[in-house]
Amino acid sequence: MQRHAAVMGAAGALGTTMMKTLRARGWRVVGIDSKQVVDGLRRPPVGMEAGVMWNVVVPTNGSNPSEQKKHVLGEMKLMGFGNEEGQKKLDAVLCFNGGFAMGNASCDDLLVSVEKMYGSILVPSFLGASLAATFMRPGSLFLLSGALAGGNVPTPRILAYGSAKAAVHHLVRSLSHETSGLPDGTKVIGIAPDILDTETNRVSMPNTPRDNWTPLGDLANKVCDWAESPQMCTSGTIYKVITSPSGTTYDAL
């Protein structure tokens, strides 16, 4: 059976790596982001082709979350996804949207950071849930991206970021319940990385030792393993992604 995945945040560092990893392992992939996906094509007129990464660009200028949802779901339907017999189904919805903002309660632009973090982290997570509820096959994988700095530790210097990630953790646990509206048997999990080895992090932390930075390829391959065998996961679990010189571990938070 041909597998199909939707990757939210597909233009980011981890999303791009995930797209390429899935394609290399034989998946057909739709990348969803507010930016054009590198090596991705815009939606084809009809259907999809094997080995090609298709791109849905989420409108941001002047559009609200409801309009964004309508646009994304409409594009997916034009690709042939749906609930009717003969229509394509998603076997994984993987959300890697992110952002970062510093700021404690005394910062003048705290509420600006709140709006930015909720728009870049939380709203796409809800959009991913709608995508999964509409197009995903029962028993498939829905993954959200949390963080170690959020959900289980205070984040006084990064209030907006930490609270947005804590909300994502709440979504993981809530969406794992049978009344969440997701297809039967959906495995809902989260990942909580420490530091990912991205170009942005290398530039912003040039003197920081990288022994505990997680390579994007390692994480992408692990997520692909989960997507291909969802029974490996415990629904409602957030997996800590911890890297050391001896390797990377994925334990429940």
Side-chain angles (χ1 to χ4, degrees):
M1 180 184 70
Q2 178 64 60
R3 294 187 175 102
H4 298 85
V7 177
M8 303 279 298
L14 181 54
T16 298
T17 303
M18 190 74 245
M19 295 270 287
K20 293 179 178 178
T21 301
L22 287 164
R23 184 171 63 168
R25 290 171 64 161
W27 288 65
R28 293 181 181 177
V29 191
V30 181
I32 302 170
D33 204 299
S34 59
K35 302 175 183 178
Q36 174 72 30
V37 176
V38 176
D39 294 332
L41 302 177
R42 295 299 296 270
R43 174 184 54 80
V46 179
M48 299 175 68
E49 298 175 13
V52 176
M53 299 187 295
W54 298 113
N55 186 209
V56 175
V57 178
V58 181
T60 54
N61 292 335
S63 63
N64 60 44
S66 294
E67 292 168 338
Q68 292 172 359
K69 173 186 171 181
K70 181 179 179 181
H71 173 79
V72 172
L73 268 57
E75 291 286 288
M76 295 295 291
K77 289 175 182 177
L78 288 172
M79 289 185 199
F81 288 93
N83 293 318
E84 301 298 327
E85 186 176 352
Q87 292 183 309
K88 292 189 284 289
K89 306 290 189 297
L90 290 170
D91 299 281
V93 175
L94 312 172
C95 300
F96 300 115
N97 301 79
F100 185 76
M102 296 292 295
N104 61 20
S106 67
C107 291
D108 291 338
D109 60 353
L110 175 62
L111 295 186
V112 174
S113 295
V114 169
E115 185 175 15
K116 179 181 177 182
M117 290 299 94
Y118 277 62
S120 64
I121 294 172
L122 194 53
V123 170
S125 299
F126 279 102
L127 177 54
S130 294
L131 197 65
T134 307
F135 300 119
M136 205 159 68
R137 194 187 311 276
S140 298
L141 180 72
F142 179 52
L143 179 145
L144 291 171
S145 295
L148 284 181
N152 77 324
V153 295
T155 57
R157 297 177 61 193
I158 49 173
L159 284 176
Y161 173 83
S163 64
K165 287 297 187 179
V168 171
H169 291 195
H170 174 79
L171 266 181
V172 171
R173 297 180 177 114
S174 297
L175 288 169
S176 66
H177 284 247
E178 61 181 15
T179 57
S180 68
L182 296 184
D184 292 342
T186 297
K187 294 289 187 176
V188 183
I189 65 170
I191 53 172
D194 187 8
I195 303 176
L196 298 177
D197 191 358
T198 66
E199 184 62 30
T200 299
N201 285 338
R202 285 173 177 252
V203 170
S204 62
M205 297 180 282
N207 300 317
T208 303
R210 299 173 186 162
D211 291 348
N212 65 335
W213 291 24
T214 301
L216 299 182
D218 290 359
L219 179 53
N221 272 302
K222 182 63 175 181
V223 171
C224 201
D225 290 342
W226 284 330
E228 291 174 352
S229 301
Q231 66 274 14
M232 296 171 57
C233 308
T234 301
S235 198
T237 299
I238 297 161
Y239 291 93
K240 296 183 293 183
V241 183
I242 303 295
T243 297
S244 67
S246 59
T248 301
T249 59
Y250 304 87
D251 298 318
L253 185 64

